[in-house]
Amino acid sequence: MAVDTRSSVPFQDEEMREVAESARRIESNVASVILGKDDVIRTSVVTLLAGGHLLVEDYPGVGKTLLAKSLARSVSCRYARVQFTPDLLPSDVTGVGVFNQKTGEFEFRPGPIFANIVLADEINRASPKTQASLLECMEERQATIDGTTHAIAAPFMVIATQNPIEYEGTYPLPEAQLDRFMMRLTLGYPDAAAEETVLYEQTSRDPLAELEPVVDAAQVLTMQRAVTRVRCVPELHRYVVAILAATREARDVYLGASTRAGIALVRAAKALALLRGRDFVVPQDIKDLATKVLGHRMILSSDARVHGQSEQAVVDRLIGGVPVPGA
């Protein structure tokens, strides 16, 4: 059966049309603060709709934290920010049991992780022990403290920022931690026109303070449920499996993409299809997101690194060698 590759068709479902419009309002809202980065903003919204977590990696001062705050402010729900530092403890993130002298019992005081959108700022400046405190939270949407498991209310999204691992005073995230993030992106420097506008706006007013929510937590949950209803035919599932296999068999890749990476790629592709005005996935949706979803989950061989290859270049090359369904 040939795969439908049409760019867009009218939604057959009114709810899905409304969800797509709500997602575009979020994009527009964030774009009023983050200028000239439409692709980065769309990637962030796709991650939110797909129920994933986002890792933003770039040098200081390019707007990583501002992007996370803008996305959080566009959604009317509980928001928390954690500044990761070398002396931050796991209990500072997840919470701690405090003894109540009146009742004679320990009471749980939840940490900032018990919010809907959590900004983990400069996550690679904290110790590996503190970084690991996020593993259960991000994967299972719960935290176990003193033997008791506490559920984290949905929707739940962690937006982590980090400086490049070569930067001084950082602790590289281990593979298991990186695998919890649906996508990794970089902002880069804005073009000259956008940078000039940023200089004017940031020195004459505070665009972030003027930002108003455009959706609430209940609407986000509705949007996430709508994404699961976007159709992805078996041929495209096999296409994703073939891409995963290519990363594992490549000579210049030491560690290929996991099954979790494939799940994340399909979920993200469904969200992107919805934003593009479709209730079905096409191969281009998968190709456009593959580098962002797979790149940080792969470890290149030492020979590939010596020759200056990047994860992005390797993923792009591998995808080019995988036959596209329906082509």
Side-chain angles (χ1 to χ4, degrees), residues 154-288:
F156 174 62
M157 179 183 186
V158 173
I159 306 175
T161 70
Q162 71 170 5
N163 297 319
I165 59 175
E166 295 84 4
Y167 221 70
E168 184 177 354
T170 59
Y171 299 86
L173 293 174
E175 290 76 22
Q177 185 80 51
L178 288 171
D179 204 27
R180 261 61 173 188
F181 289 98
M182 174 171 282
M183 284 193 270
R184 180 183 65 180
L185 58 83
T186 60
L187 275 79
Y189 295 109
D191 59 42
E195 193 162 23
E196 181 180 349
T197 304
V198 168
L199 294 179
Y200 171 75
E201 291 190 348
Q202 294 291 337
T203 56
S204 59
R205 64 187 183 91
D206 186 357
L208 183 64
E210 300 171 4
L211 211 60
E212 295 292 335
V214 292
V215 298
D216 58 25
Q219 288 174 296
V220 172
L221 288 175
T222 299
M223 295 163 75
Q224 292 178 348
R225 286 193 294 267
V227 167
T228 64
R229 292 165 44 211
V230 174
R231 292 176 288 117
C232 185
V233 296
E235 286 82 359
L236 292 182
H237 288 155
R238 288 192 284 271
Y239 180 51
V240 172
V241 170
I243 293 173
L244 298 178
T247 68
R248 299 165 188 164
E249 297 167 0
R251 296 180 59 182
D252 45 9
V253 177
Y254 174 73
L255 178 67
S258 66
T259 303
R260 184 189 284 125
I263 295 171
L265 183 53
V266 172
R267 287 177 176 169
K270 287 185 174 185
L272 182 59
L274 190 62
L275 272 169
R276 287 175 167 174
R278 284 183 271 102
D279 57 4
F280 57 90
V281 177
V282 300
Q284 193 61 45
D285 298 326
I286 295 171
K287 295 175 70 173
D288 289 344

Side-chain angles (χ1 to χ4, degrees), residues 14-33:
E14 182 64 28
E15 181 187 10
M16 297 188 78
R17 182 183 297 107
E18 293 176 357
V19 166
E21 291 174 354
S22 296
R24 294 188 192 104
R25 287 201 301 272
I26 298 176
E27 284 186 299
S28 178
N29 212 42
V30 177
S32 67
V33 178

Side-chain angles (χ1 to χ4, degrees), residues 302-323:
S302 56
D303 185 63
R305 292 189 179 278
V306 166
H307 288 85
Q309 295 192 57
S310 65
E311 290 88 351
Q312 178 177 357
V314 171
V315 172
D316 289 342
R317 177 176 57 78
L318 293 176
I319 290 178
V322 177

